[in-house]
Amino acid sequence: MQVIIALGANLGNPQETLRAAALDIAALKGISVLAASSLYCTTPVGYAAQDDFINAVMAVESSLEPLELLQQLAALEQKYKRVRTIKNGPRTLDLDVITCGDIISADPVLTLPHPRAQERAFVLVPLAEITPDLIFPDTKRSVQSLVAELSAADVAGVRLMNAKLMAP
């Protein structure tokens, strides 16, 4: 099934971390990368007293069960020394499963689609770069239509960098 993974970081060397994490994701058994976005510099959401984030998204083909994939991604966050102290706070690496095919789940461990992805510019703008026609299974809304509804301020907070997450 096609899975969308969002990547973000703002501690250490975020660009280097995201690129290395993308290669780690690509190396997971049962994962094949379909597309990866450019890197974007984004204004923090929620907790504002921190550095800007570097964000990107990947579309992968996965034969893993969603919870198994989540566990693999959590292990990668630990590899990069992720510490959870402040909600929406600074982090060395954040990996979120945004969608897993057409699965809709209210499981508190892995809610699908990701509960806030459809309102977050730092997910939607990079996603529009690689798969603008993706339809979220719960709302039946396309990435493109959701981006069109973002505020100008939200879109302005997501700045395209002259760099790709992964080499073509």
Side-chain angles (χ1 to χ4, degrees):
M1 89 183 86
Q2 179 176 296
V3 176
I4 302 299
I5 301 169
L7 303 87
N10 72 339
L11 293 176
N13 185 335
Q15 288 185 54
E16 184 178 299
T17 299
L18 292 190
R19 286 188 174 125
L23 293 174
D24 287 341
I25 292 167
L28 292 174
K29 185 176 180 173
I31 297 292
S32 176
V33 176
L34 301 172
S37 74
S38 298
L39 296 174
Y40 291 79
C41 182
T42 63
T43 304
V45 173
Y47 180 69
Q50 60 182 320
D51 291 339
D52 285 352
F53 279 83
I54 305 300
N55 290 97
V57 296
M58 298 173 71
V60 302
E61 186 66 29
S62 174
S63 63
L64 301 174
E65 290 297 319
L67 284 174
E68 184 182 359
L69 175 61
L70 180 66
Q71 291 169 346
Q72 297 279 340
L73 296 178
L76 288 177
E77 287 181 340
Q78 291 308 303
K79 174 182 174 180
Y80 292 92
K81 313 256 188 283
R82 166 81 189 261
V83 177
R84 297 173 191 268
T85 53
I86 301 170
K87 182 175 173 59
N88 297 322
R91 56 201 75 160
T92 56
L93 180 62
D94 186 29
L95 300 173
D96 287 323
V97 177
I98 304 301
T99 62
C100 285
D102 291 331
I103 296 173
I104 299 172
S105 170
D107 185 322
V109 175
L110 179 59
T111 303
L112 291 169
H114 188 286
R116 292 166 302 283
Q118 295 177 61
E119 57 199 44
R120 292 194 165 158
F122 66 84
V123 173
L124 293 172
V125 171
L127 197 49
E129 176 190 335
I130 62 169
T131 182
D133 298 325
L134 176 85
I135 304 292
F136 282 89
D138 57 341
T139 61
K140 306 296 186 218
R141 303 283 312 278
S142 72
V143 170
Q144 205 167 33
S145 71
L146 292 164
V147 168
E149 292 180 4
L150 292 170
S151 73
D154 284 347
V155 173
V158 181
R159 299 166 307 280
L160 179 64
M161 300 175 72
N162 189 21
K164 289 290 220 181
L165 176 62
M166 300 180 82

